[in-house]
Amino acid sequence: QVQLVESGGGLVQPGGSLRLSCVASGTIFSTYIMAWYRQAPGKLREFVAVMSNGGDTNYADSVKGRFTISRDNAKNTVYLQMNSLKPEDTAIYFCNVVQEGGNYWGQGTQVTVSS
């Protein structure tokens, strides 16, 4: 079992920045993938960013150049630095961990970008 807890969401003005964190606990293996997804009201959950255990990254086109994913394996934590935020970034952001034997999701943290 793996538990994921996101934090760092909140209300920010357009152009502002937020840093999300996701801490994983429980049975964590040495090799795993950590990712961020988001879901706005009335829309499907969409991929945002991913980082492998080895540090390879990939981003959705909508956030490239603005968001940066990073991880601290010693702390089993993944981060999402979000800069130049836009109103369309408003969503619940979910942490996702994939490892052998499991696919886990956090409860999400709300990000609202509004004037």
Side-chain angles (χ1 to χ4, degrees):
Q1 289 283 84
V2 174
Q3 296 79 45
L4 304 176
V5 179
E6 302 98 334
S7 63
L11 175 64
V12 65
Q13 294 185 354
S17 298
L18 286 173
R19 189 192 192 206
L20 307 183
S21 298
C22 173
V23 179
S25 61
T27 305
I28 308 299
F29 299 121
S30 60
T31 302
Y32 57 94
I33 297 169
M34 301 193 78
W36 289 96
Y37 289 74
R38 66 187 183 186
Q39 187 168 21
K43 300 183 68 176
L44 296 175
R45 188 171 299 185
E46 65 176 347
F47 166 78
V48 175
V50 63
M51 176 174 280
S52 72
N53 191 63
D56 296 320
T57 61
N58 192 32
Y59 298 90
D61 288 342
S62 59
V63 306
K64 285 182 179 178
R66 300 188 298 120
F67 291 10
T68 302
I69 188 171
S70 61
R71 64 193 290 168
D72 185 336
N73 287 337
K75 298 180 179 179
N76 291 323
T77 301
V78 64
Y79 306 93
L80 185 68
Q81 178 66 47
M82 305 185 295
N83 299 325
S84 302
L85 284 163
K86 306 174 181 179
E88 50 263 45
D89 294 318
T90 296
I92 301 174
Y93 284 71
F94 296 91
C95 179
N96 172 236
V97 166
V98 179
Q99 63 181 11
E100 184 176 6
N103 185 355
Y104 306 92
W105 295 89
Q107 294 300 305
T109 184
Q110 177 70 48
V111 172
T112 302
V113 184
S114 179
S115 298

